[in-house]
């Protein structure tokens, strides 16, 4: 939120005003432009032509329209009209890893395909004017952030032109029965109203170990090997990271990338896992130079409405 926006839309600071139209006018345009910018940067780093993208997976919980943002992103990038598009809406914090899972499935089932995964979020859709009656809202304002991210996913990389960063080995999704109200979001006349139950960190702590064990046993690891693998965890908030670290007895540096992303960008919903992976690659390149790298294998994790656990067993190909 900025003073410029509030001057243009002064009704946003009036309690109880039906402003969903104004919010969507802002958000729909903003998330498209951020997704275009992130995707262009990603495609440039990839090094191949935009015309070689065959599929698009677009993730956002910050817009609502028909046609969806996937079409506007495809048009803004100049993708072929034959590009196969999938959009994942309102998956919240788990959306980025869910997008990776879907892109992985597409790539493995379509030889020679190249899937662009783009995520884009803005908090304006859920902005509330400050109120002494809702002091807890300040926590949300401090915690959540805006941004966008993008990745290219494919199988059988071309050695001469592509430098793969991760191998996505196994992807799973679980939801916890009877937790639907723990993360509750509703589209109202005032925008999106979110409620996060205080027991969310405890619920994640109670179930995280069994979920991770399902993934790591695929390559012969056990719970005794938690500190032998990397951890790319969506930082829903400090309490979630702290409880995971304690429950799994992780070394403090294992969640460095997640804590850096949270400190620098806040919880930017589906985007944040992109920032975490980028920081993790940066840190692994430093440890590689010092010949102190961790093992290749690790977990990419996120938690969202449902409560839904998304996880990918991956191998870091840069260490």
């Amino acid at each position: 939120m900025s003073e410029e926006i509030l001057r243009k839309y002064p009704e946003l600071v009036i309690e109880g005003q039906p402003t969903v139209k104004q919010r969507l006018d802002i958000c729909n345009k903003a998330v498209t432009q951020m997704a275009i910018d992130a995707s262009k940067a990603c495609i440039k780093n990839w090094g191949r032509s935009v015309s070689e993208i065959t599929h698009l997976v677009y993730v956002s919980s910050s817009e609502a329209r028909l046609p969806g943002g996937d079409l506007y992103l495809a048009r803004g990038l100049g993708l072929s009209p034959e590009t196969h598009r999938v959009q994942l809406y309102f998956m919240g914090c788990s959306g980025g890893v869910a997008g990776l899972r879907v892109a992985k499935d597409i790539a493995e089932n379509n030889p020679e395909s190249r899937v662009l995964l783009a995520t884009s979020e803005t908090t304006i859709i859920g902005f509330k004017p400050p109120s002494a009656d809702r002091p807890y809202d300040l926590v949300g304002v401090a915690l959540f952030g805006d941004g966008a991210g993008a990745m290219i996913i494919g199988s059988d990389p071309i050695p001469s032109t592509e430098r793969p960063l991760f191998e996505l080995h196994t992807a799973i999704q679980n939801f916890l029965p009877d937790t639907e109200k723990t993360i509750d979001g509703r589209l109202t006349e005032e925008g999106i109203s979110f409620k996060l139950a205080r027991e969310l960190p405890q619920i994640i702590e109670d179930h995280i170990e069994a979920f991770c064990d399902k993934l790591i046993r695929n390559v012969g690891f056990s719970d005794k090997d938690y500190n032998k693998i990397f951890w790319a965890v969506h930082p829903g908030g400090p309490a979630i990271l702290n409880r995971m670290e304690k429950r799994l007895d992780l070394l403090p540096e294992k969640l460095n990338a997640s804590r850096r992303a949270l400190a620098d960008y806040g919880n930017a919903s589906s985007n944040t896992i992109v920032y975490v992976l980028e920081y993790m690659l940066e840190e692994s390149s430093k440890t590689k130079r010092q010949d102190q790298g961790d093992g290749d294998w690790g977990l990419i994790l996120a938690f969202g409405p449902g409560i839904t656990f998304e996880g990918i067993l991956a191998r870091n190909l840069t260490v």
Side-chain angles (χ1 to χ4, degrees), residues 130-146:
S131 171
D133 296 330
R134 298 190 311 272
Y136 188 72
D137 283 357
L138 294 176
V139 176
V141 174
L143 178 61
F144 290 97
D146 303 340

Side-chain angles (χ1 to χ4, degrees), residues 3-316:
E3 289 188 20
E4 180 184 0
I5 291 174
L6 293 179
R7 282 196 298 268
K8 186 174 180 180
Y9 300 95
E11 60 271 29
L12 293 179
V13 298
I14 302 174
E15 196 80 34
Q17 285 289 306
T19 53
V20 66
K21 179 184 182 301
Q22 293 91 321
R23 293 167 190 268
L24 289 175
D25 284 347
I26 301 168
C27 293
N28 290 345
K29 181 179 178 180
V31 293
T32 297
Q33 189 57 55
M34 288 192 294
I36 289 172
D37 293 344
S39 297
K40 285 182 175 179
C42 176
I43 293 167
K44 182 179 179 180
N45 287 337
W46 174 43
R48 293 176 63 181
S49 168
V50 67
S51 64
E52 296 178 274
I53 292 172
T54 59
H55 297 73
L56 172 64
V57 177
Y58 173 69
V59 183
S60 183
S61 297
S62 304
E63 62 156 85
R65 54 183 160 174
L66 292 174
D70 60 316
L71 182 70
Y72 292 99
L73 174 57
R75 192 176 70 179
L77 292 173
L79 298 184
S80 166
E82 298 179 357
T83 303
H84 295 195
R85 310 184 324 271
V86 175
Q87 55 183 355
L88 303 179
Y89 269 5
F90 294 106
M91 299 190 73
C93 293
S94 62
V97 181
L100 267 177
R101 172 173 53 80
V102 171
K104 172 184 184 297
D105 288 346
I106 292 172
E108 289 176 342
N109 285 286
N110 294 272
E112 300 183 1
S113 63
R114 289 298 180 265
V115 186
L116 171 63
L117 167 63
T119 65
S120 191
E121 309 282 4
T122 174
T123 56
I124 293 173
I125 192 70
F127 170 79
K128 293 181 180 179
S131 171
D133 296 330
R134 298 190 311 272
Y136 188 72
D137 283 357
L138 294 176
V139 176
V141 174
L143 178 61
F144 290 97
D146 303 340
M151 308 184 206
I152 301 286
I153 297 93
S155 59
D156 299 323
I158 300 172
S160 59
T161 58
E162 294 178 312
R163 295 169 289 109
L165 305 175
F166 293 95
E167 174 193 345
L168 305 179
H169 184 280
T170 303
I172 63 174
Q173 180 197 68
N174 288 176
F175 71 90
L176 303 179
D178 303 319
T179 61
E180 293 88 349
K181 299 298 182 182
T182 307
I183 304 174
D184 189 40
R186 300 172 185 273
L187 187 61
T188 72
E189 291 182 344
E190 293 182 73
I192 292 180
S193 175
F194 278 111
K195 293 182 181 178
L196 302 177
R198 293 182 181 273
E199 61 265 25
L200 175 61
Q202 183 65 57
I203 293 173
I204 292 175
E205 179 184 353
D206 291 343
H207 294 87
I208 188 62
E209 196 165 1
F211 183 74
C212 292
D213 288 348
K214 288 180 185 178
L215 283 164
I216 63 175
R217 70 189 181 199
N218 284 284
V219 287
F221 286 111
S222 71
D223 57 0
K224 297 181 178 62
D225 299 314
Y226 286 153
N227 284 302
K228 295 180 181 179
I229 63 177
F230 71 77
W231 293 81
V233 181
H234 170 83
I240 292 174
L241 296 178
N242 293 342
R243 284 175 178 268
M244 276 192 60
E245 186 176 275
K246 180 181 177 182
R247 173 57 66 96
L248 303 178
D249 198 22
L250 297 178
L251 297 172
E253 60 268 24
K254 287 296 177 179
L255 297 179
N256 271 357
S258 296
R259 295 190 189 280
R260 280 184 64 193
L262 184 63
D264 289 348
Y265 303 109
N267 177 348
S269 195
S270 64
N271 307 305
T272 321
I273 198 63
V274 185
Y275 311 152
V276 172
L277 290 171
E278 192 166 25
Y279 278 149
M280 205 196 74
L281 289 171
E282 179 186 312
E283 292 175 4
S284 68
S285 68
K286 294 177 182 177
T287 57
K288 180 181 178 181
R289 284 195 297 271
Q290 298 166 4
D291 200 27
Q292 297 174 349
D294 285 336
D296 294 347
W297 292 98
L299 296 180
I300 303 172
L301 303 172
F303 321 103
I307 293 173
T308 301
F309 283 45
E310 292 276 358
I312 299 177
L313 174 67
R315 192 157 61 100
N316 184 348

